[in-house]
mmCIF file of all heavy atoms in Angstrom:
data_model
loop_
_atom_site.group_PDB
_atom_site.id
_atom_site.type_symbol
_atom_site.label_atom_id
_atom_site.label_comp_id
_atom_site.label_asym_id
_atom_site.label_seq_id
_atom_site.Cartn_x
_atom_site.Cartn_y
_atom_site.Cartn_z
ATOM 1 N N ALA A 283 -14.188 3.306 -0.392
ATOM 2 C CA ALA A 283 -14.885 3.998 -1.484
ATOM 3 C C ALA A 283 -14.412 3.375 -2.830
ATOM 4 O O ALA A 283 -15.377 3.227 -3.747
ATOM 5 C CB ALA A 283 -14.533 5.467 -1.554
ATOM 6 N N MET A 284 -13.180 3.150 -3.043
ATOM 7 C CA MET A 284 -12.693 2.551 -4.345
ATOM 8 C C MET A 284 -13.353 1.150 -4.497
ATOM 9 O O MET A 284 -13.737 0.749 -5.609
ATOM 10 C CB MET A 284 -11.167 2.416 -4.310
ATOM 11 C CG MET A 284 -10.496 3.720 -4.396
ATOM 12 S SD MET A 284 -10.850 4.519 -5.953
ATOM 13 C CE MET A 284 -11.824 5.922 -5.350
ATOM 14 N N GLU A 285 -13.400 0.411 -3.450
ATOM 15 C CA GLU A 285 -13.933 -0.949 -3.644
ATOM 16 C C GLU A 285 -15.473 -0.929 -3.908
ATOM 17 O O GLU A 285 -15.974 -1.762 -4.570
ATOM 18 C CB GLU A 285 -13.594 -1.788 -2.349
ATOM 19 C CG GLU A 285 -12.108 -2.236 -2.379
ATOM 20 C CD GLU A 285 -11.782 -3.121 -1.247
ATOM 21 O OE1 GLU A 285 -12.595 -3.332 -0.405
ATOM 22 O OE2 GLU A 285 -10.633 -3.562 -1.210
ATOM 23 N N ARG A 286 -16.129 0.098 -3.448
ATOM 24 C CA ARG A 286 -17.589 0.342 -3.755
ATOM 25 C C ARG A 286 -17.732 0.496 -5.190
ATOM 26 O O ARG A 286 -18.655 0.132 -5.810
ATOM 27 C CB ARG A 286 -18.174 1.474 -2.966
ATOM 28 C CG ARG A 286 -18.264 1.312 -1.566
ATOM 29 C CD ARG A 286 -19.679 0.904 -1.141
ATOM 30 N NE ARG A 286 -19.706 0.510 0.207
ATOM 31 C CZ ARG A 286 -19.839 1.351 1.159
ATOM 32 N NH1 ARG A 286 -20.006 2.620 0.972
ATOM 33 N NH2 ARG A 286 -19.856 0.860 2.477
ATOM 34 N N MET A 287 -16.649 1.205 -5.845
ATOM 35 C CA MET A 287 -16.698 1.365 -7.249
ATOM 36 C C MET A 287 -16.135 0.188 -7.987
ATOM 37 O O MET A 287 -15.928 0.213 -9.228
ATOM 38 C CB MET A 287 -15.960 2.623 -7.689
ATOM 39 C CG MET A 287 -16.681 3.912 -7.336
ATOM 40 S SD MET A 287 -15.609 5.255 -7.232
ATOM 41 C CE MET A 287 -14.984 5.391 -8.826
ATOM 42 N N HIS A 288 -15.838 -1.005 -7.317
ATOM 43 C CA HIS A 288 -15.416 -2.092 -7.892
ATOM 44 C C HIS A 288 -13.983 -1.990 -8.662
ATOM 45 O O HIS A 288 -13.722 -2.602 -9.577
ATOM 46 C CB HIS A 288 -16.337 -2.778 -8.822
ATOM 47 C CG HIS A 288 -17.639 -3.142 -8.131
ATOM 48 N ND1 HIS A 288 -17.839 -4.060 -7.318
ATOM 49 C CD2 HIS A 288 -18.823 -2.373 -8.170
ATOM 50 C CE1 HIS A 288 -19.064 -4.056 -6.757
ATOM 51 N NE2 HIS A 288 -19.730 -3.044 -7.237
ATOM 52 N N VAL A 289 -13.262 -1.007 -8.051
ATOM 53 C CA VAL A 289 -11.848 -0.901 -8.548
ATOM 54 C C VAL A 289 -11.108 -2.100 -8.056
ATOM 55 O O VAL A 289 -11.185 -2.430 -6.824
ATOM 56 C CB VAL A 289 -11.232 0.431 -8.160
ATOM 57 C CG1 VAL A 289 -9.764 0.557 -8.588
ATOM 58 C CG2 VAL A 289 -12.090 1.583 -8.542
ATOM 59 N N PRO A 290 -10.313 -2.787 -8.841
ATOM 60 C CA PRO A 290 -9.611 -3.970 -8.337
ATOM 61 C C PRO A 290 -8.579 -3.582 -7.238
ATOM 62 O O PRO A 290 -7.987 -2.545 -7.264
ATOM 63 C CB PRO A 290 -8.920 -4.594 -9.485
ATOM 64 C CG PRO A 290 -9.143 -3.656 -10.652
ATOM 65 C CD PRO A 290 -10.209 -2.697 -10.202
ATOM 66 N N LYS A 291 -8.254 -4.544 -6.352
ATOM 67 C CA LYS A 291 -7.286 -4.290 -5.290
ATOM 68 C C LYS A 291 -5.955 -3.967 -5.724
ATOM 69 O O LYS A 291 -5.151 -3.204 -5.103
ATOM 70 C CB LYS A 291 -7.236 -5.510 -4.308
ATOM 71 C CG LYS A 291 -8.188 -5.384 -3.209
ATOM 72 C CD LYS A 291 -7.789 -6.398 -2.166
ATOM 73 C CE LYS A 291 -8.942 -6.767 -1.149
ATOM 74 N NZ LYS A 291 -8.603 -8.033 -0.405
ATOM 75 N N VAL A 292 -5.492 -4.683 -6.830
ATOM 76 C CA VAL A 292 -4.187 -4.327 -7.362
ATOM 77 C C VAL A 292 -3.958 -2.816 -7.736
ATOM 78 O O VAL A 292 -2.852 -2.362 -7.641
ATOM 79 C CB VAL A 292 -3.831 -5.219 -8.616
ATOM 80 C CG1 VAL A 292 -3.044 -6.459 -8.225
ATOM 81 C CG2 VAL A 292 -5.096 -5.429 -9.359
ATOM 82 N N ILE A 293 -4.983 -2.192 -7.964
ATOM 83 C CA ILE A 293 -4.917 -0.700 -8.261
ATOM 84 C C ILE A 293 -5.119 0.128 -6.973
ATOM 85 O O ILE A 293 -4.344 1.014 -6.791
ATOM 86 C CB ILE A 293 -5.958 -0.309 -9.331
ATOM 87 C CG1 ILE A 293 -5.646 -1.032 -10.565
ATOM 88 C CG2 ILE A 293 -5.929 1.210 -9.584
ATOM 89 C CD1 ILE A 293 -6.747 -0.936 -11.732
ATOM 90 N N VAL A 294 -6.122 -0.378 -6.146
ATOM 91 C CA VAL A 294 -6.445 0.406 -4.942
ATOM 92 C C VAL A 294 -5.246 0.443 -3.930
ATOM 93 O O VAL A 294 -4.868 1.495 -3.438
ATOM 94 C CB VAL A 294 -7.607 -0.186 -4.246
ATOM 95 C CG1 VAL A 294 -7.984 0.615 -2.974
ATOM 96 C CG2 VAL A 294 -8.846 -0.152 -5.103
ATOM 97 N N ILE A 295 -4.580 -0.688 -3.672
ATOM 98 C CA ILE A 295 -3.569 -0.836 -2.742
ATOM 99 C C ILE A 295 -2.437 0.209 -2.992
ATOM 100 O O ILE A 295 -2.082 0.884 -2.107
ATOM 101 C CB ILE A 295 -3.180 -2.286 -2.455
ATOM 102 C CG1 ILE A 295 -4.334 -3.007 -1.828
ATOM 103 C CG2 ILE A 295 -1.929 -2.299 -1.529
ATOM 104 C CD1 ILE A 295 -4.070 -4.514 -1.803
ATOM 105 N N PRO A 296 -1.744 0.117 -4.156
ATOM 106 C CA PRO A 296 -0.684 1.152 -4.378
ATOM 107 C C PRO A 296 -1.079 2.559 -4.133
ATOM 108 O O PRO A 296 -0.407 3.375 -3.537
ATOM 109 C CB PRO A 296 -0.305 0.943 -5.845
ATOM 110 C CG PRO A 296 -0.755 -0.460 -6.135
ATOM 111 C CD PRO A 296 -2.062 -0.730 -5.315
ATOM 112 N N PHE A 297 -2.381 2.903 -4.532
ATOM 113 C CA PHE A 297 -2.884 4.331 -4.324
ATOM 114 C C PHE A 297 -2.993 4.595 -2.950
ATOM 115 O O PHE A 297 -2.686 5.662 -2.397
ATOM 116 C CB PHE A 297 -4.131 4.503 -5.055
ATOM 117 C CG PHE A 297 -3.909 4.993 -6.493
ATOM 118 C CD1 PHE A 297 -4.022 4.187 -7.635
ATOM 119 C CD2 PHE A 297 -3.581 6.369 -6.795
ATOM 120 C CE1 PHE A 297 -3.839 4.597 -8.792
ATOM 121 C CE2 PHE A 297 -3.370 6.742 -8.009
ATOM 122 C CZ PHE A 297 -3.472 5.808 -9.134
ATOM 123 N N ALA A 298 -3.426 3.568 -2.135
ATOM 124 C CA ALA A 298 -3.732 3.811 -0.684
ATOM 125 C C ALA A 298 -2.322 4.023 -0.076
ATOM 126 O O ALA A 298 -2.156 4.841 0.862
ATOM 127 C CB ALA A 298 -4.292 2.594 -0.107
ATOM 128 N N VAL A 299 -1.334 3.312 -0.501
ATOM 129 C CA VAL A 299 0.029 3.394 0.021
ATOM 130 C C VAL A 299 0.602 4.883 -0.263
ATOM 131 O O VAL A 299 1.180 5.452 0.721
ATOM 132 C CB VAL A 299 0.955 2.345 -0.424
ATOM 133 C CG1 VAL A 299 2.445 2.589 0.016
ATOM 134 C CG2 VAL A 299 0.433 1.002 0.124
ATOM 135 N N ILE A 300 0.189 5.430 -1.323
ATOM 136 C CA ILE A 300 0.675 6.767 -1.600
ATOM 137 C C ILE A 300 0.217 7.752 -0.582
ATOM 138 O O ILE A 300 0.960 8.574 -0.172
ATOM 139 C CB ILE A 300 0.210 7.225 -2.994
ATOM 140 C CG1 ILE A 300 0.922 6.374 -4.162
ATOM 141 C CG2 ILE A 300 0.487 8.596 -3.286
ATOM 142 C CD1 ILE A 300 0.399 6.561 -5.574
ATOM 143 N N PHE A 301 -1.084 7.576 -0.189
ATOM 144 C CA PHE A 301 -1.586 8.409 0.872
ATOM 145 C C PHE A 301 -0.673 8.467 2.145
ATOM 146 O O PHE A 301 -0.521 9.411 2.731
ATOM 147 C CB PHE A 301 -2.924 7.843 1.292
ATOM 148 C CG PHE A 301 -4.108 8.469 0.675
ATOM 149 C CD1 PHE A 301 -4.502 7.964 -0.600
ATOM 150 C CD2 PHE A 301 -4.871 9.422 1.280
ATOM 151 C CE1 PHE A 301 -5.669 8.531 -1.126
ATOM 152 C CE2 PHE A 301 -6.018 9.997 0.770
ATOM 153 C CZ PHE A 301 -6.354 9.511 -0.484
ATOM 154 N N ARG A 302 -0.232 7.232 2.449
ATOM 155 C CA ARG A 302 0.550 7.078 3.618
ATOM 156 C C ARG A 302 1.906 7.634 3.482
ATOM 157 O O ARG A 302 2.534 8.087 4.370
ATOM 158 C CB ARG A 302 0.608 5.677 3.862
ATOM 159 C CG ARG A 302 1.229 5.327 5.256
ATOM 160 C CD ARG A 302 1.878 3.969 5.178
ATOM 161 N NE ARG A 302 2.502 3.640 6.578
ATOM 162 C CZ ARG A 302 3.733 4.127 6.884
ATOM 163 N NH1 ARG A 302 4.373 4.823 5.951
ATOM 164 N NH2 ARG A 302 4.121 3.811 8.052
ATOM 165 N N PHE A 303 2.448 7.774 2.197
ATOM 166 C CA PHE A 303 3.784 8.095 2.009
ATOM 167 C C PHE A 303 3.961 9.614 1.954
ATOM 168 O O PHE A 303 5.100 10.094 2.167
ATOM 169 C CB PHE A 303 4.315 7.446 0.755
ATOM 170 C CG PHE A 303 5.114 6.202 1.141
ATOM 171 C CD1 PHE A 303 4.481 5.064 1.193
ATOM 172 C CD2 PHE A 303 6.453 6.359 1.320
ATOM 173 C CE1 PHE A 303 5.111 3.898 1.622
ATOM 174 C CE2 PHE A 303 7.090 5.167 1.780
ATOM 175 C CZ PHE A 303 6.472 3.958 1.929
ATOM 176 N N PHE A 304 2.968 10.378 1.755
ATOM 177 C CA PHE A 304 3.106 11.815 1.795
ATOM 178 C C PHE A 304 3.637 12.258 3.204
ATOM 179 O O PHE A 304 4.675 12.902 3.292
ATOM 180 C CB PHE A 304 1.917 12.561 1.486
ATOM 181 C CG PHE A 304 1.807 12.763 -0.079
ATOM 182 C CD1 PHE A 304 0.907 11.848 -0.749
ATOM 183 C CD2 PHE A 304 2.538 13.716 -0.744
ATOM 184 C CE1 PHE A 304 0.883 12.020 -2.188
ATOM 185 C CE2 PHE A 304 2.446 13.736 -2.140
ATOM 186 C CZ PHE A 304 1.607 12.878 -2.808
ATOM 187 N N PRO A 305 2.926 11.907 4.261
ATOM 188 C CA PRO A 305 3.444 12.284 5.574
ATOM 189 C C PRO A 305 4.898 11.685 5.870
ATOM 190 O O PRO A 305 5.667 12.265 6.503
ATOM 191 C CB PRO A 305 2.481 11.796 6.604
ATOM 192 C CG PRO A 305 1.494 10.927 5.833
ATOM 193 C CD PRO A 305 1.591 11.246 4.343
ATOM 194 N N THR A 306 5.058 10.439 5.358
ATOM 195 C CA THR A 306 6.369 9.800 5.591
ATOM 196 C C THR A 306 7.396 10.630 4.957
ATOM 197 O O THR A 306 8.491 10.966 5.562
ATOM 198 C CB THR A 306 6.361 8.420 4.935
ATOM 199 O OG1 THR A 306 5.341 7.593 5.425
ATOM 200 C CG2 THR A 306 7.776 7.720 5.191
ATOM 201 N N ILE A 307 7.310 11.094 3.748
ATOM 202 C CA ILE A 307 8.296 11.845 3.022
ATOM 203 C C ILE A 307 8.571 13.138 3.784
ATOM 204 O O ILE A 307 9.719 13.550 3.902
ATOM 205 C CB ILE A 307 7.967 12.010 1.546
ATOM 206 C CG1 ILE A 307 8.098 10.661 0.779
ATOM 207 C CG2 ILE A 307 8.826 13.062 0.946
ATOM 208 C CD1 ILE A 307 7.471 10.608 -0.627
ATOM 209 N N LYS A 308 7.508 13.691 4.272
ATOM 210 C CA LYS A 308 7.695 14.969 4.947
ATOM 211 C C LYS A 308 8.546 14.820 6.234
ATOM 212 O O LYS A 308 9.491 15.495 6.460
ATOM 213 C CB LYS A 308 6.239 15.441 5.452
ATOM 214 C CG LYS A 308 6.324 16.944 5.842
ATOM 215 C CD LYS A 308 4.774 17.356 6.180
ATOM 216 C CE LYS A 308 4.780 18.209 7.411
ATOM 217 N NZ LYS A 308 3.528 18.182 8.144
ATOM 218 N N GLU A 309 8.338 13.657 6.938
ATOM 219 C CA GLU A 309 9.162 13.368 8.126
ATOM 220 C C GLU A 309 10.567 13.170 7.763
ATOM 221 O O GLU A 309 11.463 13.647 8.387
ATOM 222 C CB GLU A 309 8.682 12.102 8.858
ATOM 223 C CG GLU A 309 7.675 12.261 9.889
ATOM 224 C CD GLU A 309 7.305 10.976 10.602
ATOM 225 O OE1 GLU A 309 7.884 9.934 10.250
ATOM 226 O OE2 GLU A 309 6.448 10.986 11.420
#
Side-chain angles (χ1 to χ4, degrees):
Chain A
M284 287 299 109
E285 286 182 357
R286 291 263 168 86
M287 283 160 65
H288 303 286
V289 181
K291 269 196 199 163
V292 262
I293 296 170
V294 177
I295 293 171
F297 272 101
V299 172
I300 291 173
F301 264 81
R302 187 205 181 278
F303 265 86
F304 277 100
T306 303
I307 287 170
K308 197 176 136 199
E309 263 184 9

